[in-house]
Amino acid sequence: MKLYKLLLMLTAMIMATSCSEELNRPPMVIPECDWEPTMSILDFKKMVWSNDRNYANEVYRTPGGEDVIIRGRVIANDSTSNIYQKVYFQDATGAVCVYVNSKTLANEYKVGEEMFINVTGLFAGRSNNSFQIGAYSLYQGTTVETGRMEEDVFEAHSRVNGFPQISKLDTITLSLNRLNSIAANPDSMMKYEGQLVRFDGVSFEGGGRLTWADAATNTNRTLKDAAGNSVTVRNSGYSTFAEEVMPAGTGSVVAILAYYSNAWQLLVRSPADCIDFDGEMPEETPKPADPEEVATFVAVDGTDLVSGNYYVMTIGNQLATAINSTYSYGRLALADISITDGALQTKMANAIMVLSTDEGYLLIDGYGRYLAMDDDESHKTFQLYNGVQPGCLWSAEAEGNGTWRFTNNVRTGYSIAQEGKYTNVAPTTSTTDVVYPRLYQLVK
């Protein structure tokens, strides 16, 4: 009987202790925000957007006197340290990066959580072509750009609402080839830069062999598709997965689509964003032809330019040869056509690859640079970019007798033609006595 009473007493004590712990446990707090958005992310970007490489625009109230408040869901943070001091969030119209001097953003701004930011009084703009919300900053003491805001400023301007809901995130499926035309169009850039995107049927160069990054070093890796299109994957040597080996074979990759300098970059949030890789190493895509390789060429039949083909431009009995590989602008020089064993021949340095996009054609010279115009009215020659930028798109129209007129989609008054003053090929605004080039397709 005494043993029975002792057991009852022990049981009561345990139950009392358990109840006491439950009573002392703090209640679960659901974050709430009663702010209302005053515009979409895309409308906000349009309001402050500039094509300048570096700038910082202060955000003021709307003409109606309202604060500029935008809302979205967090799609990336610094949880794995591959994205540094930044939060990305998106709504149905677009996405934007917020740059904060903090290393613990993931603690408060979790992926899938609804986020509000009152941008009034903050700055928005670009740093080396990368658009973000942040603070007024001077690069190397002279160049105005949008840099990091301090953590207390960010906290005063931002709120979260509710618990994370990953299922409500929207991932946009793109092709690597599509990236070319997006970068050439400011409206597309505003919509897609910063978005959570997915690429199917892709593989990593060095997959199954190379780690995501070299130790303590920011490292570029390459993601490619079966057609040879590729994009840089930017990885931090300080990320939690830097020493892991990239997946082998072909699969799908989800990442943040970022733009830096003159090219796209993918920011992988974690290896879990690499989906269904089969481990089978794909056949290597042939590398671009050596500029010294000799090829024959034949006249283009009809008016259909085949995307991905190499062509040469001729004026009379001369070839338009590529600009020196070290130049960033200039005209195409004219050289005599070479005939060997009755066949027209040229070196690959004279070739131009034509890529077709939904918005127009991209022209890539034998050194891999994009022929373009910029918005400087004093520039009368080609600008040569290593990546797609506004001014790289051209419309093409057959003029008859094998001649073609390429017109720039940004500087619409400029067409590619013989430039009489210098006897070479350059963009020109002339509409009289213009000699447009004839296209020949290379046959290796």
Side-chain angles (χ1 to χ4, degrees):
M1 190 66 174
K2 290 181 179 181
L3 179 60
Y4 175 72
K5 289 182 177 180
L6 181 60
L7 289 173
L8 285 176
M9 290 175 61
L10 288 173
T11 301
M13 291 173 62
I14 292 171
M15 291 180 65
T17 301
S18 175
C19 291
S20 176
E21 288 178 353
E22 289 291 338
L23 290 173
N24 291 333
R25 182 180 299 169
M28 184 177 295
V29 177
I30 301 176
E32 294 182 356
C33 177
D34 59 2
W35 292 359
E36 290 293 333
T38 55
M39 65 178 59
S40 69
I41 290 177
L42 183 58
D43 286 340
F44 161 70
K45 287 175 126 178
K46 289 179 178 178
M47 182 178 72
V48 298
W49 188 269
S50 168
N51 290 328
D52 293 338
R53 189 185 190 94
N54 297 283
Y55 69 95
N57 289 337
E58 185 174 359
V59 182
Y60 299 101
R61 288 187 172 92
T62 67
E66 294 181 306
D67 283 353
V68 177
I69 300 174
I70 53 179
R71 172 182 63 186
R73 288 195 179 274
V74 177
I75 53 177
N77 54 30
D78 59 358
S79 61
T80 63
S81 298
N82 199 45
I83 295 172
Y84 184 65
Q85 298 191 329
K86 294 180 178 180
V87 170
Y88 288 83
F89 70 110
Q90 69 178 17
D91 64 10
T93 68
V96 69
C97 169
V98 186
Y99 197 11
V100 186
N101 188 16
S102 171
K103 297 179 181 179
T104 58
L105 294 172
N107 294 341
E108 296 295 331
Y109 300 88
K110 300 176 178 62
V111 172
E113 196 164 25
E114 190 174 49
M115 170 181 171
F116 292 77
I117 183 166
N118 185 337
V119 199
T120 303
L122 301 179
F123 287 81
R126 280 177 160 178
S127 173
N128 202 1
N129 273 335
S130 181
F131 184 87
Q132 54 205 15
I133 297 170
Y136 181 94
S137 180
L138 290 175
Y139 177 70
Q140 295 185 343
T142 58
T143 302
V144 174
E145 65 176 9
T146 302
R148 289 177 293 185
M149 75 178 88
E150 293 303 317
E151 188 172 15
D152 60 339
V153 175
F154 176 56
E155 291 177 350
H157 283 258
S158 62
R159 298 288 186 274
V160 292
N161 185 57
F163 291 137
Q165 298 185 58
I166 303 294
S167 62
K168 291 192 175 183
L169 297 185
D170 184 22
T171 303
I172 301 173
T173 300
L174 292 175
S175 66
L176 293 181
N177 183 53
R178 173 74 174 134
L179 294 182
N180 292 328
S181 57
I182 291 174
N185 186 312
D187 288 337
S188 295
M189 283 288 290
M190 283 185 276
K191 177 180 178 180
Y192 287 101
E193 184 184 5
Q195 293 272 25
L196 188 64
V197 296
R198 173 174 173 144
F199 298 94
D200 296 323
V202 291
S203 61
F204 290 98
E205 288 188 359
R209 178 173 52 86
L210 296 178
T211 58
W212 285 96
D214 300 329
T217 304
N218 291 330
T219 305
N220 289 342
R221 299 300 190 211
T222 300
L223 188 72
K224 60 184 181 180
D225 63 17
N229 301 300
S230 64
V231 66
T232 294
V233 181
R234 182 70 168 173
N235 304 310
S236 170
Y238 297 94
S239 70
T240 58
F241 57 90
E243 296 181 0
E244 295 182 27
V245 176
M246 296 184 299
T250 301
S252 300
V253 172
V254 174
I256 297 296
L257 182 61
Y259 198 81
Y260 184 76
S261 186
N262 295 322
W264 290 110
Q265 294 182 344
L266 296 184
L267 305 177
V268 174
R269 299 174 302 176
S270 82
D273 284 339
C274 299
I275 305 164
D276 296 334
F277 273 74
D278 57 23
E280 298 179 7
M281 302 306 294
E283 294 183 7
E284 290 294 326
T285 302
K287 295 181 180 180
D290 187 326
E292 294 303 311
E293 181 182 343
V294 175
T296 59
F297 52 97
V298 295
V300 176
D301 183 18
T303 60
D304 184 25
L305 295 180
V306 180
S307 183
N309 273 14
Y310 285 91
Y311 297 87
V312 291
M313 293 182 179
T314 69
I315 299 285
N317 291 318
Q318 291 184 305
L319 288 172
T321 66
I323 304 167
N324 185 291
S325 61
T326 62
Y327 287 16
S328 61
Y329 64 92
R331 302 174 176 87
L332 299 179
L334 288 175
D336 291 334
I337 291 175
S338 172
I339 300 178
T340 303
D341 297 329
L344 301 175
Q345 290 191 327
T346 188
K347 293 184 177 180
M348 288 299 297
N350 300 334
I352 293 174
M353 179 189 284
V354 173
L355 286 180
S356 176
T357 74
D358 293 338
E359 288 82 14
Y361 290 99
L362 297 167
L363 305 178
I364 307 172
D365 76 359
Y367 298 103
R369 300 167 304 185
Y370 293 80
L371 273 64
M373 294 294 293
D374 61 18
D375 56 4
D376 188 333
E377 289 295 331
S378 67
H379 292 171
K380 311 298 184 185
T381 61
F382 296 109
Q383 302 300 307
L384 303 173
Y385 299 133
N386 291 324
V388 178
Q389 293 195 54
C392 289
L393 279 174
W394 302 82
S395 59
E397 182 180 357
E399 293 287 314
N401 297 322
T403 59
W404 289 76
R405 180 179 182 182
F406 287 91
T407 305
N408 193 264
N409 288 8
V410 170
R411 299 276 291 280
T412 54
Y414 283 83
S415 300
I416 297 176
Q418 180 172 1
E419 215 287 347
K421 180 179 179 181
Y422 299 99
T423 315
N424 52 31
V425 180
T428 179
T429 57
S430 177
T431 56
T432 60
D433 300 324
V434 175
V435 180
Y436 297 114
R438 187 175 185 179
L439 289 190
Y440 286 80
Q441 181 179 339
L442 265 68
V443 178
K444 301 176 187 178

